[in-house]
Amino acid sequence: MKRISKEDLDGWNDDRKRARFINCLSGIKSCFLIGTCNASKQTNLAIFSSIFHLGANPSLMGLIVRPNVSSRHTFENIKLMGFYSLNLLPYQNHQQGHQTSARYSLEQSEFLETGFSEEWTEDGPVPFVKESQVKWLMKYIRTVDIPENGTHMVIGEVQCVYLPDDLIESDGSLTISQTDPALVTGLDCYHQVRKGIRYSYAKPGKDLTKI
Amino acid sequence: MKRISKEDLDGWNDDRKRARFINCLSGIKSCFLIGTCNASKQTNLAIFSSIFHLGANPSLMGLIVRPNVSSRHTFENIKLMGFYSLNLLPYQNHQQGHQTSARYSLEQSEFLETGFSEEWTEDGPVPFVKESQVKWLMKYIRTVDIPENGTHMVIGEVQCVYLPDDLIESDGSLTISQTDPALVTGLDCYHQVRKGIRYSYAKPGKDLTKI
C-alpha cells in the first residue's frame, strides 16, 4: 500500500497530474452528453461524468459545471433556455464523445464537428442525441455556487424520458447495462460494463437473495 | 422508443417504482463504503453511490445524503467527528456492501454485522475498510442543504490516500479498473467493469490517439 498525503498532493508541481489523480479517485462513472442550444438554435454538445441523483420525488438530478471556458457554453445555454437534454453515451460512440471535450468555438457545433446527429422533439427547445438510446429532457431549476473553487452545481428536474421499451422492468428498474453504455475513469479512460446481478432489499439478519 | 413524461411518472402510484426508475436513470455508478464513528468509537459503515468530483485544487468531493433514518447515522457522525473515510467497494465484496444498506440500529456496527474489518490509522479518528484496496480520509468542510427534497450535499476535502503502488501512472492517472471495483445501477444491481482504453487530450480538428 502506498500512502499519499494532502501535503504530497500539494507538493506535486504539475497541476494536471493532481487533477488526473483526484478525478480518477472518484471512481468509474457513466458518461452523458449534454445537448443545449441558444436562442438562435446554435447547438452545443458536451461530455459530462458528474451527473448525480438528487431525489425521485420530485425527480431531481445534479450536475457539476467547472469554471472553464469550454463547459461555459453548456452552462450559459442551460440558464438561457431553461432546458437541456441528458443523453447516455453508447460505448460504440465513446471516441466521438471524448472529442466533444475539445475547445470548439461558440460558432462550431460539437454535433457537426464530432458526427453526432441532432434530434428535435416537441417536448422542449433543445436537441437530443439521436445515437443515444436512453435520453431525457431536463428543466433547469437553479444553481448552487461552490465558492471554494468557483464550480457550480446545476439542479434540474427530469421532464420526459425516451428509452427502449424492453429496458423497463415491471418494478420500475432499468437494465441500463443492456444498452452497452460508456463509462469513464478520470477524464480520458473509457470502459464497458458487464451485465449486472440484482439483490433483494437488505434487512438486518436476513440473507440476500438474487432477483 | 418508449416516451415517459413527467405526468406519467407523477401518475405512478408506487413511490418505490418511481424511485427505482429515477435512481437507475442516473447511470451506472461506483460504490463506496463510508466509514464513520462517534465520540465513543461506535463505528458505522454505509454504502453510497452518490460521490462526485468537485475539484482538484483544493481536492474536494461531494456526497448526497438522503433524508432517511439509515443514512443519518453516517451524516451525524461526519458532522460530529469532522472526518470520514471513503473506501472503494471491491466487486468480490459486493454482497456484503449491499447488506450495509440494511437498517441496523445505532448500537449495531455494520462492520461487525456484514463482516468487513475495521482498519485504524494515525491519520484520522475514523475507521477504514481493510478489504478495500483504494481508500482515503476525508475532512468535512460544510453542508449545502437542498430544500426541494430535504437532501444534503456534504462537501469534504481529500486528506490522505491509500492505494496499491502499481495503480498510479507517471502522469497521475489511476488504473482503478485493475482493482475490480463494484459498480451499481439504481440501488440493487451490481456490475463488474472491463479494462479501459485511454485517449489523448481532445483538440478541435485533431484525431484522437490511444495512450
Side-chain angles (χ1 to χ4, degrees):
Chain A
M1 277 279 169
K2 194 175 174 70
R3 175 182 179 279
I4 298 178
S5 69
K6 184 173 177 309
E7 291 69 34
D8 294 333
L9 287 173
D10 289 345
W12 288 2
N13 290 325
D14 183 352
D15 272 356
R16 287 174 305 180
K17 182 175 176 179
R18 187 174 49 239
R20 284 191 201 97
F21 181 87
I22 298 294
N23 260 293
C24 286
L25 210 55
S26 56
I28 299 170
K29 301 152 289 182
S30 286
C31 299
F32 298 85
L33 294 171
I34 302 190
T36 59
C37 63
N38 66 16
S40 325
K41 293 211 171 177
Q42 168 69 40
T43 60
N44 187 281
L45 191 65
I47 190 166
F48 280 80
S49 61
S50 57
I51 308 272
F52 49 92
H53 178 78
L54 272 177
N57 192 16
S59 303
L60 300 179
M61 289 189 190
L63 152 71
I64 301 299
V65 181
R66 318 213 61 69
N68 66 34
V69 178
S70 178
S71 47
R72 285 281 172 182
H73 297 168
T74 298
F75 188 36
E76 296 302 330
N77 284 345
I78 288 175
K79 287 187 293 184
L80 182 72
M81 302 298 285
F83 290 93
Y84 50 111
S85 73
L86 291 183
N87 307 266
L88 265 178
L89 175 64
Y91 184 76
Q92 67 173 13
N93 302 101
H94 72 273
Q95 285 202 38
Q96 286 167 266
H98 187 60
Q99 186 62 32
T100 67
S101 67
R103 290 175 184 251
Y104 292 104
S105 69
L106 192 55
E107 294 71 34
Q108 291 175 298
S109 170
E110 290 82 1
F111 278 99
L112 188 66
E113 299 295 335
T114 66
F116 283 108
S117 313
E118 295 177 8
E119 188 172 57
W120 299 84
T121 75
E122 291 182 1
D123 292 307
V126 293
F128 291 87
V129 175
K130 191 167 184 182
E131 289 78 1
S132 174
Q133 290 184 67
V134 182
K135 48 201 162 193
W136 59 100
L137 181 70
M138 292 289 287
K139 182 181 175 187
Y140 172 64
I141 302 293
R142 66 184 175 96
T143 300
V144 177
D145 296 327
I146 315 286
E148 282 87 347
N149 60 3
T151 57
H152 313 276
M153 174 170 69
V154 173
I155 300 180
E157 188 182 7
V158 176
Q159 300 297 299
C160 190
V161 184
Y162 294 90
L163 75 182
D165 248 327
D166 61 353
L167 217 65
I168 314 180
E169 306 280 323
S170 57
D171 71 353
S173 291
L174 303 177
T175 51
I176 294 278
S177 62
Q178 159 183 332
T179 68
D180 195 19
L183 304 180
V184 68
T185 306
L187 298 169
D188 57 16
C189 184
Y190 292 85
H191 306 262
Q192 278 183 295
V193 73
R194 295 177 199 271
K195 191 168 175 288
I197 308 169
R198 286 188 70 193
Y199 293 94
S200 55
Y201 189 81
K203 292 183 178 175
K206 199 176 162 198
D207 286 343
L208 294 174
T209 52
K210 293 185 185 178
I211 55 177
Chain B
M1 276 279 168
K2 196 176 172 70
R3 174 182 179 278
I4 299 178
S5 69
K6 184 174 177 308
E7 291 68 35
D8 293 333
L9 287 172
D10 289 345
W12 289 1
N13 291 325
D14 184 352
D15 271 356
R16 286 174 306 180
K17 182 175 175 180
R18 188 174 46 240
R20 285 190 201 98
F21 181 87
I22 298 293
N23 260 293
C24 286
L25 210 54
S26 57
I28 299 170
K29 300 150 290 180
S30 286
C31 300
F32 297 85
L33 295 169
I34 301 190
T36 59
C37 63
N38 65 15
S40 323
K41 293 210 171 178
Q42 168 70 42
T43 61
N44 187 282
L45 190 66
I47 190 166
F48 279 79
S49 61
S50 58
I51 308 271
F52 50 92
H53 177 78
L54 272 178
N57 191 16
S59 303
L60 300 179
M61 288 188 193
L63 152 70
I64 302 299
V65 181
R66 318 213 61 71
N68 66 34
V69 178
S70 178
S71 48
R72 285 280 173 183
H73 296 168
T74 299
F75 189 37
E76 297 301 331
N77 283 346
I78 287 175
K79 287 186 292 184
L80 183 73
M81 302 299 284
F83 290 94
Y84 50 111
S85 74
L86 291 182
N87 308 266
L88 265 178
L89 176 64
Y91 184 76
Q92 68 173 14
N93 301 101
H94 73 272
Q95 285 203 38
Q96 285 167 267
H98 187 62
Q99 186 62 33
T100 67
S101 66
R103 290 175 184 251
Y104 293 103
S105 69
L106 192 56
E107 293 70 33
Q108 290 174 300
S109 170
E110 290 82 2
F111 279 99
L112 187 67
E113 299 296 334
T114 67
F116 283 108
S117 312
E118 295 177 8
E119 188 173 57
W120 298 84
T121 74
E122 291 182 1
D123 292 306
V126 292
F128 291 87
V129 175
K130 191 168 184 180
E131 289 78 2
S132 173
Q133 290 184 66
V134 182
K135 48 200 161 192
W136 59 99
L137 181 69
M138 292 290 287
K139 182 182 175 187
Y140 172 63
I141 302 292
R142 67 186 174 94
T143 300
V144 177
D145 295 328
I146 315 286
E148 282 87 348
N149 60 3
T151 57
H152 312 276
M153 174 170 70
V154 173
I155 300 179
E157 188 182 6
V158 176
Q159 300 296 299
C160 191
V161 184
Y162 293 89
L163 75 182
D165 247 326
D166 60 355
L167 217 65
I168 314 182
E169 305 279 323
S170 57
D171 70 354
S173 291
L174 304 177
T175 52
I176 293 278
S177 62
Q178 155 182 338
T179 68
D180 194 19
L183 304 181
V184 69
T185 304
L187 298 169
D188 57 17
C189 184
Y190 292 85
H191 306 263
Q192 277 183 296
V193 72
R194 295 176 198 270
K195 191 168 175 288
I197 308 169
R198 286 187 69 193
Y199 292 94
S200 55
Y201 189 80
K203 293 184 178 174
K206 200 177 162 198
D207 285 343
L208 294 174
T209 53
K210 294 186 183 177
I211 55 178

